[in-house]
Amino acid sequence: MSETAKPDETQGWSPAPDEGQAGMVMTTDGQWAYRHKDGAELIMMKMPERPDAK
């Protein structure tokens, strides 16, 4: 994935697997979550909708 997309290119981003680090993470069951500092409780997030790939 590049930072600039061509008009017909579908882009996507996924967070890193959760290992207790701060920031956006992906849990083992595939849900997105946010942690404001290392070791803090996860705040569960709604995964953004992505356009269907052509």
Side-chain angles (χ1 to χ4, degrees):
M1 182 177 83
S2 64
E3 290 186 22
T4 57
K6 296 177 180 145
D8 61 344
E9 182 181 28
T10 301
Q11 283 190 295
W13 175 85
S14 293
D18 180 27
E19 297 177 359
Q21 76 274 28
M24 269 313 244
V25 298
M26 184 177 292
T27 63
T28 56
D29 61 359
Q31 292 185 323
W32 288 29
Y34 178 78
R35 182 179 284 118
H36 71 279
K37 65 179 183 175
D38 288 354
E41 292 292 318
L42 287 172
I43 300 167
M44 302 311 289
M45 307 293 290
K46 181 180 177 184
M47 188 193 282
E49 293 182 21
R50 294 185 179 166
D52 293 332
K54 293 181 182 181

